Amino acid sequence: METKDWILLLVPIVFDGALIFILQKLFEKRQKKQRIQNYYLDTLRKNIDVALSLHAKATRLANDSYSDDQEILNTLNLYINSCLDVYYYYVQNKNTFIFLEKDINELSSTIMSLANYVNNSEESKDNMKICMKINTIRDILMTIKDDCIKF
């Protein structure tokens, strides 16, 4: 075989090997990025699940006319704090959750509205208004959770 034949034989093999190596590295990088993003999404979903588990208790106590006001206030504050945990986790990892910005902003304003209403000692509490705000927060949390699952 002449030099020309060796070149025609080896050049495609070397370039194919280099191309496969580059594509493999790009694929591994994409998989690593997806794995990290899934970790953040799973953590956000767990925070949402904690908030949703407190939702049922908060709604039940707000609707129960025989419940102690202090117990209702403590439960609502726990619920508000768990919802704020979702918001703070979003803020810490904002670049990962860009697609949730609209829902998270709506969630934060609703949480603050509920917190101001619950912690305002001058105003008498309307349990129906509290339940409406709690249910609005639940709906937003469910939307965020669905968006995380779809992503």
Side-chain angles (χ1 to χ4, degrees):
M1 289 177 71
E2 294 182 21
T3 308
K4 178 183 171 187
D5 293 333
W6 282 106
I7 292 173
L8 289 174
L9 179 68
L10 294 178
V11 168
I13 293 173
V14 170
F15 282 118
D16 286 348
L19 181 66
I20 289 172
F21 178 76
I22 291 170
L23 290 175
Q24 182 181 10
K25 289 299 178 185
L26 289 174
F27 184 70
E28 287 174 358
K29 187 175 182 180
R30 184 178 295 150
Q31 277 186 324
K32 183 177 179 182
K33 182 179 177 184
Q34 187 65 37
R35 202 174 317 119
I36 291 169
Q37 197 167 28
N38 285 341
Y39 170 77
Y40 285 115
L41 288 171
D42 287 342
T43 305
L44 181 66
R45 280 196 303 260
K46 287 176 186 175
N47 287 345
I48 290 172
D49 287 339
V50 169
L52 290 174
S53 68
L54 286 170
H55 169 266
K57 185 176 181 183
T59 304
R60 183 181 51 78
L61 285 175
N63 284 327
D64 189 6
S65 59
Y66 301 109
S67 294
D68 180 31
D69 286 343
Q70 190 60 39
E71 182 183 7
I72 293 172
L73 186 63
N74 289 342
T75 303
L76 287 174
N77 281 327
L78 280 173
Y79 179 64
I80 290 167
N81 287 337
S82 68
C83 291
L84 285 174
D85 287 344
V86 172
Y87 176 72
Y88 293 144
Y89 190 75
Y90 163 78
V91 170
Q92 290 171 352
N93 303 292
K94 197 172 197 168
N95 292 337
T96 306
F97 304 120
I98 292 173
F99 64 98
L100 297 174
E101 186 171 5
K102 178 183 165 248
D103 292 328
I104 292 289
N105 289 334
E106 184 180 353
L107 176 69
S108 68
S109 65
T110 309
I111 292 169
M112 290 304 145
S113 167
L114 177 63
N116 290 336
Y117 184 74
V118 167
N119 294 320
N120 188 351
S121 59
E122 299 165 2
E123 205 174 312
S124 65
K125 306 296 184 264
D126 179 13
N127 288 351
M128 286 304 294
K129 192 170 184 179
I130 291 173
C131 284
M132 286 175 46
K133 289 179 185 275
I134 289 172
N135 287 335
T136 302
I137 292 172
R138 181 209 55 215
D139 293 343
I140 296 168
L141 287 172
M142 291 300 291
T143 302
I144 293 170
K145 188 175 179 180
D146 289 344
D147 289 346
C148 287
I149 291 170
K150 289 176 187 173
F151 191 76

